[in-house]
Amino acid sequence: MDQQFKQGYWMHRVLSNLNRLDVDRLDDADRERVETARDFLEEVSLRTRPSDGAGMDAHADS
């Protein structure tokens, strides 16, 4: 499996799991940690999402 695909897959899995948490049952500190982690993962996802069929950090070797 391609390394970039693996990283995207795991990032998606973590974000999905964070979104499934019942944050209403957490204390304030844990709720804030979940929100921070969710924000970071969404930001990374937006930065690495291909807009033209190629990743933003893909480089042409020619």
Side-chain angles (χ1 to χ4, degrees):
M1 195 181 294
D2 181 9
Q3 182 66 25
Q4 186 176 9
F5 178 78
K6 284 182 187 178
Q7 291 172 347
Y9 171 77
W10 287 112
M11 186 172 55
H12 171 74
R13 291 281 311 256
V14 171
L15 185 56
S16 294
N17 288 336
L18 285 173
N19 286 332
R20 288 187 195 133
L21 287 176
D22 185 5
V23 293
D24 295 335
R25 301 181 100 188
L26 300 174
D27 62 22
D28 290 338
D30 287 338
R31 189 176 302 137
E32 186 174 335
R33 287 183 191 103
V34 168
E35 291 297 322
T36 300
R38 198 180 293 159
D39 290 344
F40 282 141
L41 286 169
E42 288 173 353
E43 183 178 325
V44 168
S45 177
L46 289 174
R47 289 181 181 215
T48 59
R49 183 176 297 142
S51 59
D52 62 349
M56 289 182 67
D57 41 314
H59 302 288
D61 290 332
S62 53

